[in-house]
Amino acid sequence: MTGTLLVQQGGHSVVTDLGRVRGPRYGLPVNGALDQFSARAANILVGNHDNEPLLEITALDVRLRSTEDILISVTGASLTLTVGGRECPQWEPVSVAAGETISIRAMRGGLRAYLAIHGSVETPTLLGSCAPDTVVGFGHRLMDGDSLATRRSVRPIRQPYFDLPLFRLGLSRPGISTHPVIEVTDGPDIEEFGETAQKLFSGSYTVGDRSNHIGLRLRGDLPERQLTSEVLSRGVPVGAVEVPSRDELLVLHRGRGVTAGYPVMAVVTSLSLDALAQARPGHLITFRHTTVAEATANHRSAMRELDKLRTRVNTVFGLLGLQSGTTGSGANALESNQTA
Amino acid sequence: MGASTTIEVHEAGDAALRVVATTGDREHDWKTVHALAGWLDSSGMDGIHGAVPTYDSLLVEFDSHLTSARQVRAIVLLAMRQIDFVGATSRTPRQFEVPVVYGGQFGPDLARVADHEGLGVEEIIRLHTAKSYVIRCLGAPAGSPMMDGPDFPLPVPRLKDPRISVPAGAVSVAGRQAVIAPASAPGGWCVIGQTPLTLLDASREPLVPYLPGDVLRFHRISPEDFARYDGQPLEALP
């Protein structure tokens, strides 16, 4: 530990990572950052491994004060970021001097932002992950007056003459829409819905108020299951589209119970799950049909963007003499001999 | 029998596959999906996050950046040819005894289940405590021990309005399945009783003391006895 991040205003924020991938085999949801692309990008931008603990900030304003010089980045939903009163860019590394306050407010256009700190923060883990699990009662939710131990100090990097952005690392950031198009592939149980499965693509759905990290509840024209037989519990994928009641469509997200007995009509793609993480109650959603091959290609293309960003960050950090923890997500070495 | 005739592999998005064992022999199908899960977990295959085996099916989760649905399907079919069914079931099952208070505030759906089955409440309790249950899999929430149901005449329907919160220790039935809730969570199953024992310990890995294949029995205790056990951990019999 080198310093402390004091939580002046916690908002609705948690310490998380990319998820508890060893959880599902023990009956625990994977959880972790709901917008995985933004979370990875935030860590990469400060020279961390993709999976380091970082803050997931949902909707509400947050204020933090650091006792040390640190380097942060904020990604995800658009918002107003100020450090020591100066407005700073998102999706870029930002220097914070000891004693300065980081203020995140006026989130708009999305629901979740990610704040990563060079060197990350100290936090307990369960099955190899710090991601909160609300059912088990594990995880660190930021409370006003809390403090987080930061692991690395970084002397301030400042433009000497103007407050111009320092880095311009040029990530093509995903647009956040109030009417996103969500891509789905056919689910393993689509046949149980007969012709009504097509209703999914015929109109828009409204995100309901009871949506959370477990799942989004959508109102609209609902497909209907044509069978009434009881289904044995089985593993459900993150992204499963189900019709558990006559009122709502349920799209399961990363906090989903690992097993259930509802038929899976469709499955949201990995990339569209990131877009759903930014959907607010009241937003409209349109579904678009795709194939697993196309979804895989799109996911890989997004991951290649992150690989390029990682390379640029390593170069810049090397020039600045900054310690960079990134050797990649482990993906680069494999990529050459993989085909979709 | 060739591998392709005993399992089906279905797409479940770009990051998961559902494997279903299809012989119709429940015991055999259960062993197949658990042996497959064990093989995949110990293979250390890059990009495969893990496998969730249940009764007759298996969800295999992976990172489509590092591997792909097509590759994982090929790996599953390869695994089917390599699985050692004897090795997969050689662990000696442990035994668990679970005290339960039935009915009343502890089991609000007991009377409803009795009505549905056309049996008396006492007969439901007798059937529920009559058999040994093999834990088939760990499910939601929080590593629930999921078992085949008691020998009721009819499958038990799920609640039309799932409860917002079912307490930890709730002993429930649905369809032809039985379960205990290790943690408080929403639930749509019929709650017929509650155990005062604690199943979940978040400081331990895994978080629950049992594994698929272990054997569990329920026995009835009085509401007055609930406090006597309250908070004690569930442990395997010596």
Side-chain angles (χ1 to χ4, degrees), chain A residues 189 230 256 270 299-300, chain B residues 14 18 61 64 67 71 158:
Chain A
D189 307 309
E230 283 279 339
R256 60 76 167 95
S270 298
H299 182 223
R300 287 182 179 183
Chain B
D14 63 37
R18 182 200 285 168
E61 295 184 294
S64 65
T67 182
Q71 279 180 316
R158 286 175 170 79

Side-chain angles (χ1 to χ4, degrees), chain A residues 4-336:
Chain A
T4 304
L5 205 52
L6 300 165
V7 180
Q8 296 171 306
Q9 184 180 354
H12 192 74
S13 313
V14 294
V15 182
T16 193
D17 55 23
L18 295 177
R20 185 166 290 107
V21 292
R22 284 170 61 217
R25 76 185 69 170
Y26 299 118
L28 302 184
V30 65
N31 278 310
L34 267 69
D35 178 350
Q36 295 260 299
F37 183 91
S38 295
R40 282 182 191 269
N43 265 324
I44 291 169
L45 284 164
V46 292
N48 289 348
H49 288 285
D50 292 27
N51 195 28
E52 295 281 351
L54 79 174
L55 305 187
E56 181 179 70
I57 296 160
T58 303
L60 303 181
D61 295 355
V62 168
R63 270 183 304 122
L64 308 160
R65 195 177 76 232
S66 177
T67 62
E68 290 284 319
D69 298 340
I70 55 171
L71 189 69
I72 65 164
S73 72
V74 177
T75 64
S78 298
L79 46 80
T80 302
L81 167 67
T82 59
V83 173
R86 299 180 312 281
E87 192 155 338
C88 297
Q90 286 180 257
W91 302 89
E92 296 286 347
V94 171
S95 272
V96 180
E100 284 187 324
T101 292
I102 304 162
S103 162
I104 283 172
R105 59 195 162 78
M107 193 183 288
R108 52 195 174 263
L111 190 57
R112 293 183 171 90
Y114 295 87
L115 187 157
I117 301 132
H118 176 69
S120 193
V121 292
E122 302 285 347
T123 192
T125 61
L126 173 68
L127 292 171
S129 167
C130 71
D133 186 310
T134 49
V135 173
V136 169
F138 177 84
H140 188 164
R141 172 171 295 284
L142 300 196
M143 308 299 285
D144 298 355
D146 269 2
S147 58
L148 289 164
T150 53
R151 295 202 196 111
R152 245 181 253 163
S153 178
V154 181
R155 59 184 161 62
I157 308 160
R158 285 274 157 79
Q159 271 278 5
Y161 302 110
F162 305 103
D163 250 349
L164 291 173
L166 207 74
F167 289 101
R168 297 225 169 117
L169 287 161
L171 175 71
S172 63
R173 47 209 257 190
I176 291 171
S177 163
T178 56
H179 189 161
V181 175
I182 299 300
E183 299 199 315
V184 297
T185 60
D186 287 343
D189 307 309
I190 186 169
E191 284 169 13
E192 296 191 18
F193 294 85
E195 294 291 311
T196 74
Q198 290 308 312
K199 286 188 181 180
L200 193 63
F201 308 108
S202 60
S204 294
Y205 292 86
T206 309
V207 179
D209 296 339
R210 288 165 62 224
S211 301
N212 57 21
H213 66 291
I214 297 171
L216 286 90
R217 293 167 185 278
L218 308 178
R219 293 186 305 273
D221 197 10
L222 299 186
E224 287 155 46
R225 187 174 177 227
Q226 309 293 300
L227 302 173
T228 52
S229 55
E230 283 279 339
V231 180
L232 275 173
S233 296
R234 55 196 175 195
V236 275
V238 174
V241 178
E242 300 177 344
V243 193
S245 75
R246 285 175 203 282
D247 310 325
E248 290 169 322
L249 198 71
L250 179 62
V251 183
L252 294 173
H253 218 298
R254 300 182 68 86
R256 60 76 167 95
V258 174
T259 57
Y262 295 110
V264 177
M265 187 176 70
V267 185
V268 175
T269 66
S270 298
L271 268 189
S272 283
L273 280 166
D274 292 349
L276 277 183
Q278 298 294 356
R280 286 177 175 245
H283 281 182
L284 285 177
I285 279 169
T286 305
F287 288 102
R288 191 182 89 81
H289 185 265
T290 187
T291 62
V292 167
E294 193 189 338
T296 303
N298 288 340
H299 182 223
R300 287 182 179 183
S301 154
M303 295 298 280
R304 272 196 299 275
E305 283 297 312
L306 292 178
D307 286 342
K308 281 189 237 162
L309 177 68
R310 194 180 293 112
T311 307
R312 287 197 294 273
V313 168
N314 284 345
T315 306
V316 172
F317 280 30
L319 291 171
L320 291 170
L322 274 176
Q323 201 179 346
S324 163
T326 58
T327 52
S329 61
N332 298 330
L334 263 171
E335 234 184 10
S336 54

Side-chain angles (χ1 to χ4, degrees), chain B residues 3 10 16 18-19 23 34 84 93 98 118 145 152 154 156 171-172 174 198 231 236:
Chain B
H10 302 280
R18 182 200 285 168
V19 181
T23 66
H34 283 264
D84 175 7
V98 179
F152 293 162
L154 302 169
V156 181
V171 171
S172 311
T198 301

